[in-house]
């Protein structure tokens, strides 16, 4: 360790000179040449607003799956989906699921709800004041809406849910945010709305967020009420294709699903799925989504059934999928490239992106069901998921 200090007070400097200076400090500190972190092809200036104190770019491999056939309202046709991961066998597994879906006529996808929340809490003098406050909020919805929407050309306040608790009132504000995930947009809008409240009602104290939003945490609230895009994908797969692609039967997958759901209940899992987080982490990383939101996005449940003909019905439902095709990390260079691969960069694309994510999640669930039922799980990880050490 040296006594040198990290260069200070220039957290928003993206020049090559400051990056070299920071790296030099870290080389001395760590005794490592750090020869890869500072080697990149993109312009660091492009990451302004996404990172501070920049020292370089991490290079995570990107694989591709497909063709994945989707019959959605917004996504229609065959897609090749980029997955960025360091877990061997993940891309193989999703690719097998994609091929099965395509051979079975495609996944049907639907977005059935859209809205993201900010949830301030207000502390009043006592519970009578809290009751009067809830009435005040309901009465003034139109004003609150117009105050919030004065800060954004895209955001719309859709709904207010009010939860009184003693002298406190928790307020869950739900917004439409277009193609952006919207948390910066609605934080600004909510601050404007709160300022109007403070001028018009005697509030003792408030906090802009009460944790009821519920941002970046798994919760029953998000699972039941939804957050971001609520999206579902379903498919019916013939007995023949289940045997051909997964080496098992619809019956066995159905029994596995029943025992798996009991396992989820016993362990307190919210929802019930096998590996939604794997698809989400890999697509989020490739396509410039906020990785912190994998937490609530992966809270979803499978529904598995047998048709009267003995074929397999399988659906995935993600009630709180947080995705964007505008803003956040979506215009970072490699991330934009990946969104371009699926035709999902920019305005008017977020619903299509949500459907592609759901269909990819379905591919992974089907493939892993096959691996667990057919017992080729360990073998495939041995073959693809082991590194040179
Ligand atoms: P943003 O990059 O801060 O802003 C996106 C802006 O793009 C919108 O405000 C909107 O401006 C404009 N826009 C242009 N075309 C649009 C379109 N078609 N649809 C929607 N907006 C359009 O993005 P954000 O989604 O508000 O925030 C995302 C970032 O917030 C992520 O980086 C995430 O990591 C971070 N985040 C913040 C918090 C927080 O508490 N602040 C929490 C979690 C995550 P107008 O509003 O003028 O229309």
């Amino acid at each position: 360790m040296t006594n040198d200090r990290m260069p200070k007070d220039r957290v928003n400097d993206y020049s090559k000179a400051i990056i070299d200076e920071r790296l030099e400090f870290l080389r001395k500190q760590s005794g490592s040449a750090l020869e890869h972190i500072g080697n990149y092809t993109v312009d660091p200036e492009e990451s302004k607003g996404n990172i501070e104190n920049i020292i370089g770019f991490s290079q995570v491999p990107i694989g591709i799956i497909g063709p994945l056939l989707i019959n959605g309202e917004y996504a229609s046709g065959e897609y090749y989906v980029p997955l960025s991961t360091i877990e061997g066998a993940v891309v193989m597994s999703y690719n097998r699921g994609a091929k099965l879906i395509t051979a079975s006529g495609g996944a049907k996808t639907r977005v059935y709800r859209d809205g993201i929340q900010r949830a301030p809490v207000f502390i009043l003098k006592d519970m009578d004041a809290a009751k009067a406050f809830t009435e005040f909020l309901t009465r003034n919805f139109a004003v609150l809406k117009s105050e919030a929407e004065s800060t954004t050309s895209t955001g719309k306040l859709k709904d207010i849910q009010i939860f009184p608790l003693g002298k406190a009132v928790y307020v869950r504000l739900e917004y439409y945010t277009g193609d952006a995930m919207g948390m910066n947009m609605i934080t600004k809008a909510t601050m404007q709305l709160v300022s109007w409240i403070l001028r018009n009602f005697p509030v003792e104290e408030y906090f802009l967020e009460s944790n009821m939003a519920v941002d970046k945490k798994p919760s029953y609230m998000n699972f039941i009420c939804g957050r971001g895009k609520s999206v579902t994908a379903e498919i019916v797969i013939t007995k023949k294709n289940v045997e051909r692609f997964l080496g098992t039967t619809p019956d066995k997958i159905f029994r596995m699903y029943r025992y798996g759901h009991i396992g989820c209940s016993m362990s307190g899992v919210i929802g019930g799925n096998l590996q939604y987080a794997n698809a989400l982490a890999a697509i989020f990383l490739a396509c410039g989504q906020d990785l912190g939101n994998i937490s609530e996005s992966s809270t979803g449940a499978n529904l598995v059934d047998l048709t009267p003909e003995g074929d397999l019905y399988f659906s995935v439902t993600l009630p709180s999928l947080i995705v964007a095709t505008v803003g956040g990390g979506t215009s970072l260079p490699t991330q934009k490239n990946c969104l371009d691969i699926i035709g999902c960069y920019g305005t008017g694309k977020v619903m299509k992106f949500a459907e592609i994510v759901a269909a990819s999640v379905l591919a992974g669930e089907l493939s892993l069901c096959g691996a667990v039922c057919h017992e080729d799980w360990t073998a495939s990880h041995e073959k693809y998921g082991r590194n040179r050490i």
Side-chain angles (χ1 to χ4, degrees):
M1 298 283 273
T2 74
N3 287 327
D4 293 351
R5 288 275 169 265
M6 179 71 108
K8 276 190 189 158
D9 304 328
R10 291 164 70 188
V11 290
N12 278 316
D13 187 342
Y14 296 80
S15 64
K16 180 157 177 11
I18 189 75
I19 291 175
D20 286 345
E21 219 178 299
R22 289 181 190 130
L23 278 173
E24 201 42 43
F25 163 79
L26 294 169
R27 282 186 191 108
K28 283 186 192 150
Q29 285 284 314
S30 65
S32 165
L34 306 181
E35 67 274 36
H36 296 295
I37 295 175
N39 248 327
Y40 41 82
T41 60
V42 298
D43 181 356
E45 292 286 338
E46 299 204 43
S47 58
K48 236 179 216 169
N50 293 104
I51 187 96
E52 303 78 35
N53 253 347
I54 186 168
I55 60 167
F57 291 80
S58 52
Q59 301 177 46
V60 186
I62 306 168
I64 198 86
I65 63 160
L68 172 61
L69 180 59
I70 305 179
N71 308 313
E73 272 183 293
Y74 302 92
S76 178
E78 290 188 347
Y79 295 89
Y80 289 89
V81 184
L83 302 183
S84 190
T85 180
I86 48 82
E87 189 188 351
V90 161
V91 170
M92 285 301 291
S93 170
Y94 280 82
N95 202 38
R96 170 165 81 159
K99 289 196 153 68
L100 167 59
I101 288 173
T102 302
S104 304
K108 190 195 274 185
T109 54
R110 296 288 182 265
V111 179
Y112 60 89
R113 201 205 59 86
D114 179 15
I116 195 158
Q117 300 84 9
R118 225 336 130 233
V121 55
F122 299 86
I123 296 97
L124 289 305
K125 185 168 160 292
D126 56 21
M127 65 198 303
D128 283 333
K131 183 160 187 276
F133 185 60
T134 64
E135 287 156 7
F136 165 82
L137 291 178
T138 312
R139 205 167 51 242
N140 286 292
F141 178 78
V143 188
L144 296 173
K145 182 171 165 64
S146 125
E147 285 293 324
E149 292 175 9
S150 69
T151 64
T152 163
S153 53
T154 311
K156 305 278 171 241
L157 180 65
K158 290 175 61 183
D159 190 24
I160 300 192
Q161 293 171 309
I162 302 169
F163 304 90
L165 192 110
K167 64 176 184 171
V169 178
Y170 291 76
V171 181
R172 201 163 188 258
L173 303 158
E174 180 162 307
Y175 294 88
Y176 163 80
T177 59
D179 296 289
M181 65 84 85
M183 285 314 285
N184 284 340
M185 181 198 295
I186 72 168
T187 301
K188 211 164 97 188
T190 302
M191 195 57 241
Q192 177 76 17
L193 172 158
V194 168
S195 303
W196 182 85
I197 290 176
L198 299 180
R199 290 196 303 276
N200 290 281
F201 200 95
V203 169
E204 305 240 307
E205 195 177 19
Y206 81 96
F207 296 95
L208 195 59
E209 182 51 58
S210 65
N211 256 341
M212 272 189 90
V214 183
D215 190 34
K216 299 182 175 172
K217 291 165 279 285
S219 70
Y220 277 108
M221 173 71 94
N222 288 339
F223 180 54
I224 298 298
C225 301
R227 175 172 166 78
K229 299 341 180 219
S230 302
V231 56
T232 186
E234 73 174 3
I235 194 159
V236 173
I237 303 174
T238 60
K239 196 165 177 284
K240 196 168 148 212
N241 271 347
V242 172
E243 280 162 7
R244 179 170 158 225
F245 285 85
L246 302 179
T248 186
T249 62
D251 257 6
K252 186 148 186 182
I253 289 181
F254 184 61
R255 286 202 307 283
M256 176 204 155
Y257 159 75
R258 282 169 48 202
Y259 284 102
H261 259 301
I262 298 293
C264 282
S265 298
M266 289 198 300
S267 38
V269 170
I270 301 172
N273 67 72
L274 301 181
Q275 57 163 351
Y276 287 13
N278 261 339
L280 296 175
I283 298 176
F284 277 28
L285 187 53
C287 298
Q289 309 300 303
D290 188 333
L291 299 181
N293 291 116
I294 292 168
S295 180
E296 71 265 48
S297 298
S298 62
T299 305
N302 295 337
L303 188 68
V304 182
D305 208 347
L306 296 173
T307 69
E309 296 75 31
D311 294 334
L312 180 70
Y313 170 90
F314 204 110
S315 73
V316 298
T317 299
L318 298 95
S320 45
L321 177 65
I322 311 297
V323 283
T325 57
V326 167
T330 58
S331 56
L332 285 167
T334 69
Q335 288 74 3
K336 177 180 178 300
N337 281 177
C338 284
L339 284 169
D340 282 340
I341 292 174
I342 45 177
C344 283
Y345 177 73
T347 298
K349 297 289 167 59
V350 77
M351 297 301 206
K352 176 181 176 189
F353 185 41
E355 290 189 345
I356 292 173
V357 171
S360 305
V361 164
L362 176 63
E365 295 300 286
L366 290 168
S367 182
L368 188 49
C369 277
V372 176
C373 289
H374 185 249
E375 294 162 4
D376 63 359
W377 196 10
T378 316
S380 62
H381 271 267
E382 282 297 318
K383 189 166 173 196
Y384 299 106
R386 282 290 169 94
N387 208 335
R388 305 172 304 274
I389 295 173

